[in-house]
Amino acid sequence: MRTRRVVGLGLLFITMVLVGSFLSPAAAEPSPERVVAIVPLGKVRQEFLVKVQQELQSRMKVRIRIDPARELPQEAWYAPRRRWRADRILEWLDANPPPEGAWKVVAVTEAEISATKGNILDWGIAGLGSIGGPSCVVSAHIYKKHSKTKEALLRRLGDLAVHEFGHTLGFPHCEEKGCVMSDAKGKAISSADASSGRYCAKCLGMLPAEERALVK
């Protein structure tokens, strides 16, 4: 009698485990790793690429990689001012297949870039990012020209990369003092120097929960 009871309890336990396994929801598949590809356009110093990589990595819980260099697209060349149109660079990046597995693309160049601003057809800029889009472009040209030390140049370039990347996350320009998303208003040097290098709470509050979790 005792033996039958033990066997009966064992069978009951096995039955409950089997039924539970059928009723339990399937384990959620892990989200694919987010990858940001840094794409050099033209000849770009390695230390510039590494600085951009470091600054983005210090703020995002994603993998930041440096991809092989590409030539600047000829369709972006603006002959009258002998510089490259940033808006056309972004169009070119978005029109071509993105780097394999890339969630976002950060193009880095040392060439002078520009874009239309209001009534000014060709306004020199340090960077441009499409709001909520897949790509942005940053240029070291202005900082090379106006930074007295390499340390200042690299710090400003890193701040710029975080700013333009923020546009791809969906952030517009921000009025909060010290926020990295502040509008430079044509003053790329003083704006970078006044920046905290970080997204403010107001900007972060705009993000969906999934993407907010990616920001350190």
Side-chain angles (χ1 to χ4, degrees):
M1 192 72 173
R2 193 175 192 181
T3 303
R4 289 179 183 175
R5 186 181 178 191
V6 172
V7 172
L9 289 174
L11 290 173
L12 177 62
F13 175 75
I14 294 171
T15 302
M16 291 175 66
V17 170
L18 290 174
V19 171
S21 66
F22 284 115
L23 295 179
S24 299
E29 289 292 326
S31 299
E33 182 182 29
R34 301 286 184 102
V35 176
V36 176
I38 297 173
V39 179
L41 296 181
K43 187 176 180 180
V44 182
R45 292 177 219 182
Q46 185 68 18
E47 60 187 332
F48 292 173
L49 301 173
V50 170
K51 181 61 177 179
V52 169
Q53 181 184 41
Q54 290 173 340
E55 290 301 308
L56 292 176
Q57 195 70 75
S58 71
R59 288 160 180 77
M60 299 297 299
K61 300 173 187 175
V62 298
R63 182 161 66 91
I64 315 290
R65 74 176 192 226
I66 299 174
D67 278 17
R70 300 184 184 183
E71 293 300 320
L72 282 151
Q74 284 303 311
E75 56 263 43
W77 175 244
Y78 187 64
R81 300 294 298 276
R82 300 188 62 78
R83 51 192 184 186
W84 304 82
R85 296 282 302 185
D87 48 353
R88 293 178 187 169
I89 290 175
L90 293 187
E91 289 172 3
W92 173 77
L93 286 170
D94 295 347
N96 287 281
E100 185 177 357
W103 167 53
K104 302 285 186 183
V105 176
V106 179
V108 181
T109 185
E110 293 191 37
E112 187 176 6
I113 61 176
S114 62
T116 297
K117 183 177 177 68
N119 295 325
I120 302 175
L121 176 63
D122 192 64
W123 174 271
I125 59 174
L128 186 68
S130 54
I131 296 182
S135 58
C136 63
V137 58
V138 299
S139 169
H141 176 80
I142 291 175
Y143 302 129
K144 283 168 55 182
K145 190 175 181 180
H146 297 287
S147 298
K148 293 182 179 179
T149 66
K150 182 187 292 186
E151 180 183 8
L153 189 165
L154 293 175
R155 177 174 49 76
R156 291 163 176 167
L157 180 62
D159 184 86
L160 172 67
V162 174
H163 174 99
E164 300 304 344
F165 184 78
H167 283 316
T168 72
L169 293 176
F171 300 148
H173 285 141
C174 180
E175 297 299 323
E176 293 293 317
K177 185 177 181 180
C179 180
V180 73
M181 295 310 300
S182 295
D183 187 354
K185 298 179 180 178
K187 300 178 180 179
I189 301 298
S190 58
S191 177
D193 291 348
S195 172
S196 68
R198 296 196 170 274
Y199 307 118
C200 70
K202 180 180 177 181
C203 286
L204 292 175
M206 299 178 185
L207 289 177
E210 183 179 0
E211 292 194 358
R212 173 64 185 89
L214 297 176
V215 183
K216 295 179 181 178

